[in-house]
Amino acid sequence: MKKPWSYVLLGGLVAGTLDIVYACTFWYLRRGVMPRRVVQSVASGLLGDASFTGGWPTALLGLVLQYFIATSMAVTYYLFARRWTELAQRPWTFGPLYGLLLYFIMNYIVVPLSAANPGSRNLTWVLLSIAVHAFLIGLPIALFTRPAMQADTRITLSAA
C-alpha cells in the first residue's frame, strides 16, 4: 500500500502538469508564444519583468514554482479533507468547486500581490482558465485525495 502523501504529491504533479500544458498550448496556438516564455511568466511572480530576460534559468524557476504551487494546492485540499471527509467522498462535486476557488484566489489575490503583470483578460483565456481550474486542477487534486485518505488508516471513509 502506498503512503497517503505519495497520492497527494501525485495529485499536485498531475494538476501542475495539466495546468502548464494548457497554458503553453493555448498561448502557442493563440500567439505563437513558446513554452519557455510561459514558464518564465510564472517566475515573473517573484522576479517581475526580469524573468523574461533570464533565459533557461528563469524558465526552470517558473517550472519549479508551478509544481510547488500545484503541490501546495493538493496538500491544502488533503489537509482539509482529513477534517471534512466529504471532500474525499465526493471528489466530482468538491474538486471542481475547489478549482473555482483556486482560480479566484490566484487571479484576485496571489497575482495582484506578486511582481507579475496582471494576467490576460482575453475572454477565451478567462473562460477556459476557469474550466481548467475546475476540471484539470481541482478535480485531479480531489481524485488523488480519495486514495490518499483511504491509505491513511486513521481515517475511515463511508462509501460514496
Side-chain angles (χ1 to χ4, degrees):
M1 178 186 289
K2 289 186 177 182
K3 303 262 187 224
W5 289 104
S6 63
Y7 291 106
V8 175
L9 295 176
L10 190 55
L13 179 66
V14 168
T17 300
L18 292 171
D19 182 33
I20 201 66
V21 167
Y22 154 69
C24 289
T25 302
F26 180 91
W27 289 112
Y28 181 77
L29 294 174
R30 181 87 177 179
R31 295 211 176 112
V33 175
M34 297 305 289
R36 182 172 88 170
R37 185 158 177 90
V38 174
V39 292
Q40 285 173 326
S41 73
V42 177
S44 75
L46 287 180
L47 306 175
D49 288 339
S51 68
F52 298 108
T53 59
W56 285 107
T58 57
L60 181 59
L61 174 62
L63 203 56
V64 168
L65 290 170
Q66 169 73 17
Y67 285 106
F68 173 76
I69 292 166
T71 301
S72 297
M73 292 170 172
V75 167
T76 300
Y77 191 87
Y78 173 72
L79 291 175
F80 274 92
R82 290 183 65 180
R83 290 263 193 216
W84 188 25
T85 57
E86 186 93 3
L87 294 173
Q89 291 168 346
R90 298 181 55 206
W92 290 93
T93 299
F94 290 108
L97 290 173
Y98 183 61
L100 294 175
L101 176 66
L102 293 174
Y103 175 83
F104 287 101
I105 290 171
M106 292 303 296
N107 286 278
Y108 295 101
I109 298 173
V110 175
V111 172
L113 292 174
S114 77
N117 292 321
S120 173
R121 294 294 165 222
N122 172 282
L123 184 60
T124 304
W125 168 256
V126 170
L127 293 176
L128 285 174
S129 293
I130 291 170
V132 163
H133 275 78
F135 298 105
L136 299 184
I137 299 172
L139 182 58
I141 286 171
L143 289 172
F144 278 96
T145 294
R146 184 166 177 78
M149 298 281 286
Q150 290 168 333
D152 190 338
T153 58
R154 296 168 293 179
I155 299 169
T156 305
L157 295 179
S158 63

